[in-house]
């Protein structure tokens, strides 16, 4: 808030450091405090997580055409991003963040469902790896284009970021809906699912997620995603406030994710496809666990 900005800036007026705390000294942007954390956390992440389940169930309904639904959600996602750039009050930004969580949650279940149907199982790892590549490219661009925030303000960053989504949502309507591979299941898969023939979709999903391997995967993914999001939303403020680093962190965080993340998801997908041909789907679990263990020591760097 204003009082915090005034106090914080007053503490630095007596020295001549080059720590430019201009953003904290302007009511338009404050990347610290409980209200910012609510915007970054519950208003988006919790809504996103809770919305993902019904979106996933919707994507699983055979009669649903996934591409139109995904296109509409991307359009609304972009609309919420654009509206965020025109907010004047905190509650307005809070509502747009909630809308972002709802519509953005459709992307992963619908997109991965489509990718899985476009590509054969033996190529699914590399296909999903290339899809995930967009996450790291987008993350890097957010820091690389920080000059927009510095020169024009954070509202313009939201406005500019919304336009690619509008274009993509319209282009999606030109894409052909793939046949669901469930209609071409092998007899083995059909026998495995015979027990749930008369069960509701929600019941089948619940039973699947109560299996220990999938449950552990969900917990692990939640912890990893939670840590990643907390870091993403607070890294810039951390380095700026505690280390007086205004520009260095943006440069660092713009190339590290796109290099390390891109190599990881593409190479990991390729390796899992190769090993899955020999050992089955359990090889994908082995690749996932191994990569997690190999990356863990770097968390303490």
């Amino acid at each position: 808030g204003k009082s915090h900005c005034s106090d914080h800036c007053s503490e630095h007026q007596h020295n001549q450091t080059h720590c430019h705390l201009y953003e904290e000294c302007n009511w338009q942007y404050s990347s610290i405090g409980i209200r910012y954390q609510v915007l970054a956390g519950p208003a988006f992440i919790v809504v996103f997580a809770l919305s993902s389940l019904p979106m996933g169930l919707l994507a699983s309904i055979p009669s649903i055409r996934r591409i139109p639904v995904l296109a509409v959600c991307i359009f609304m996602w972009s609309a919420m991003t654009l509206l965020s750039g025109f907010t004047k009050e905190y509650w307005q930004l809070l509502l747009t963040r909630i809308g972002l969580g709802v519509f953005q949650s459709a992307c992963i279940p619908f997109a991965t469902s489509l990718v899985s149907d476009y590509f054969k199982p033996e190529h699914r790892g590399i296909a999903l790896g290339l899809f995930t590549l967009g996450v790291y490219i987008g993350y890097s661009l957010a820091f690389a284009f920080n000059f927009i925030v510095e020169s024009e303000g954070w509202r313009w960053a939201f406005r500019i970021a919304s336009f690619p989504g509008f274009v993509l949502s319209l282009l999606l309507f030109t894409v052909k809906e793939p046949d669901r591979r469930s209609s071409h299941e092998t007899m083995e898969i059909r026998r495995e699912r015979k027990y749930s023939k008369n069960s509701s979709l929600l019941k089948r999903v619940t039973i699947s997620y109560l299996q220990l391997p999938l449950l552990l995967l969900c917990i692990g993914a939640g912890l990893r995603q939670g840590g990643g999001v907390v870091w993403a939303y607070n890294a810039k403020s951390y380095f700026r406030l505690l280390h007086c680093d205004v520009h260095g962190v943006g440069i660092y965080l713009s190339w590290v994710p796109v290099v390390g993340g891109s190599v990881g998801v593409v190479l990991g997908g390729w390796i899992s496809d190769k090993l899955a041909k020999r050992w089955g789907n359990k090889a994908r679990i082995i690749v996932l666990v191994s990569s997690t263990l190999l990356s863990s020591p770097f968390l303490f760097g």
Side-chain angles (χ1 to χ4, degrees):
K2 290 184 178 179
S3 60
H4 178 86
C5 289
S6 301
D7 295 342
H8 193 76
C9 293
S10 297
E11 293 175 8
H12 291 79
Q13 286 177 351
H14 69 279
N15 58 43
Q16 298 298 319
T17 66
H18 296 288
C19 187
H20 306 297
L21 298 172
Y22 46 82
E23 289 183 350
E24 273 70 32
C25 301
N26 191 320
W27 73 271
Q28 296 184 26
Y29 181 87
S30 178
S31 55
I32 54 178
I34 186 63
R35 296 212 300 173
Y36 172 78
Q37 297 302 329
V38 168
L39 289 175
F44 174 75
I45 300 171
V46 174
V47 174
F48 177 91
L50 294 177
S51 301
S52 295
L53 180 57
M55 289 295 184
L57 291 173
L58 186 63
S60 302
I61 300 175
S63 60
I64 293 293
R65 296 186 65 231
R66 293 162 292 177
I67 288 180
V69 175
L70 179 60
V72 170
C73 287
I74 292 177
F75 185 90
M76 293 303 300
W77 169 3
S78 302
M80 292 297 106
T81 304
L82 180 62
L83 288 174
S84 298
F86 290 95
T87 55
K88 298 296 183 181
E89 301 290 341
Y90 177 82
W91 66 267
Q92 296 171 345
L93 188 57
L94 185 66
L95 290 180
T96 58
R97 292 289 293 173
I98 292 173
L100 273 172
V102 172
F103 295 111
Q104 190 173 337
S105 67
C107 181
I108 294 179
F110 277 90
T112 53
S113 174
L114 288 166
V115 170
S116 298
D117 286 341
Y118 277 122
F119 296 89
K120 296 180 180 179
E122 56 267 27
H123 300 140
R124 201 165 288 166
I126 186 67
L128 290 173
L130 291 172
F131 165 72
T132 311
L133 190 63
V135 174
Y136 296 95
I137 293 175
Y139 184 89
S140 297
L141 288 175
F143 287 97
F145 285 89
N146 185 59
F147 68 90
I148 297 175
V149 177
E150 296 178 356
S151 61
E152 303 296 334
W154 61 268
R155 289 183 175 85
W156 269 105
F158 276 108
R159 295 168 190 172
I160 294 173
S162 67
F163 285 102
F166 287 124
V167 176
L168 178 60
S169 64
L170 297 177
L171 290 176
L172 268 178
F173 284 103
T174 66
V175 178
K176 181 182 178 181
E177 179 92 15
D179 294 331
R180 291 183 182 265
R181 289 195 178 273
S182 58
S183 60
H184 305 291
E185 290 177 335
T186 63
M187 291 302 296
E188 180 181 355
I189 297 177
R190 289 179 182 178
R191 284 195 297 268
E192 290 177 356
R193 295 187 178 181
K194 188 175 181 180
Y195 77 94
S196 60
K197 183 177 180 180
N198 298 320
S199 301
S200 66
L201 178 61
L202 180 59
K203 182 178 180 180
R204 296 201 303 270
V205 171
T206 302
I207 292 174
S208 298
Y209 272 87
L210 288 178
Q211 298 180 51
L212 184 59
L214 191 54
L215 189 61
L216 291 175
L217 277 175
C218 289
I219 295 174
L223 293 174
R224 182 265 172 209
Q225 185 70 9
V229 170
V230 169
W231 168 257
Y233 280 115
N234 293 284
K236 184 181 175 183
S237 301
Y238 172 80
F239 284 102
R240 185 172 56 242
L241 291 173
L242 298 184
H243 300 282
C244 294
D245 185 343
V246 180
H247 303 290
V249 65
I251 298 173
Y252 171 76
L253 290 176
S254 64
W255 68 265
V256 169
V258 75
V259 174
S262 300
V263 171
V265 294
V266 175
L267 186 62
W270 180 78
I271 292 175
S272 67
D273 282 339
K274 293 295 183 182
L275 296 181
K277 290 181 181 179
R278 181 175 301 179
W279 297 328
N281 283 332
K282 66 179 181 181
R284 302 189 188 278
I285 303 296
I286 294 174
V287 172
L288 179 61
V289 173
S290 301
S291 60
T292 302
L293 291 176
L294 289 173
S295 64
S296 295
F298 296 97
L299 295 173
F300 301 96

